[in-house]
Amino acid sequence: SASRKKKQQKNTHNNIDPPPPRRMFLSRSSSGLSLSRRAVRSFTSGRREWKVYLSGEIHSDWREVIAKGVADKNLPVTLTSPNTSHEDSDDCGAIILGMEEERPNWDKIGANMNNIRTKTLIKEADVVVVRFGEKYRQWNAAFDAGFAAALGKSIITLHPPAISHMLKEVNASASVVCEDATQVVDTLAYVIDGTLPDTPRDGDAFVPIADRLGKGNPNP
């Protein structure tokens, strides 16, 4: 009936998250800074849970920074990672299966065991974050990035600018290249909810593209 159809349409509409509130932004133009309102335009039917795999360097707290940022922003994200205990990842095979006399065999049984987790979680991930540090050569991280790229995963690389040249091919396969963990959190927030940080990375020097080149974005 018409009333039932109308009720079904209403229920379907109610399953769509309402648009987030408009937020205030500072924009710079030739007349100086002015307040403008920008609507966040990211709509999702229901609350999708995103799976983000954190690969790479294990000697700093970058994973904890991302986890805290995700929690603070209340993002629907499940974070996973490899086993970050260096000793356990080295010795797991020998502890469970028994020791090997030769180091290559010792490493092989451990690596095979670790790969079960790594392959499974990367295959399940929506986004793979790969962290490279300056001090250690993260061959495993580079391999994870290649594996994720082969699977067509969205990749975010994270590393200091000083090693950008060495990682240019890896970065070429990434959707986003970040310099610090907070940028990863801000990227996830934008992708998931459409929200942007209150302060641009360039601070007061930031100029919206429409103000720089004019509305309609003509060629410079």
Side-chain angles (χ1 to χ4, degrees), residues 46-62:
R47 185 81 164 160
R48 185 185 193 279
E49 189 72 17
W50 291 69
K51 296 179 180 179
V52 179
Y53 184 77
L54 305 179
S55 168
E57 181 256 307
I58 62 172
H59 303 285
S60 65
D61 66 347
W62 67 275

Side-chain angles (χ1 to χ4, degrees), residues 8-155:
Q8 288 175 342
Q9 289 175 342
K10 182 178 180 181
N11 289 339
T12 300
H13 176 74
N14 289 340
N15 286 335
I16 300 176
D17 292 342
R22 291 177 177 266
R23 303 167 65 225
M24 299 298 293
F25 284 84
L26 282 174
S27 64
R28 183 185 293 274
S29 64
S30 57
S31 59
L33 288 173
S34 61
L35 280 173
S36 62
R37 299 180 71 86
R38 182 187 305 168
V40 178
R41 300 184 181 276
S42 290
F43 299 94
T44 305
S45 179
R47 185 81 164 160
R48 185 185 193 279
E49 189 72 17
W50 291 69
K51 296 179 180 179
V52 179
Y53 184 77
L54 305 179
S55 168
E57 181 256 307
I58 62 172
H59 303 285
S60 65
D61 66 347
W62 67 275
R63 288 183 176 86
E64 288 74 15
V65 172
I66 291 176
K68 184 179 185 303
V70 164
D72 289 346
K73 292 180 181 293
N74 194 30
L75 297 177
V77 170
T78 297
L79 299 173
T80 59
S81 76
N83 188 323
T84 57
S85 167
H86 197 161
E87 294 79 7
D88 289 353
S89 64
D90 280 350
D91 294 335
C92 59
I95 290 173
I96 295 171
L97 303 177
M99 293 190 297
E100 293 284 344
E101 292 296 326
E102 301 294 331
R103 178 61 188 263
N105 295 334
W106 187 295
D107 287 344
K108 181 176 176 57
I109 60 175
N112 286 343
M113 197 168 287
N114 289 320
N115 278 341
I116 296 173
R117 178 181 178 88
T118 301
K119 289 180 179 179
T120 300
L121 294 179
I122 289 180
K123 286 179 180 178
E124 291 180 350
D126 299 300
V127 180
V128 177
V129 180
V130 188
R131 159 72 178 175
F132 296 91
E134 287 184 287
K135 187 175 181 181
Y136 300 97
R137 294 181 175 89
Q138 286 88 38
W139 309 122
N140 289 351
F143 184 85
D144 286 353
F147 183 54
L151 293 172
K153 300 294 181 179
S154 295
I155 300 170

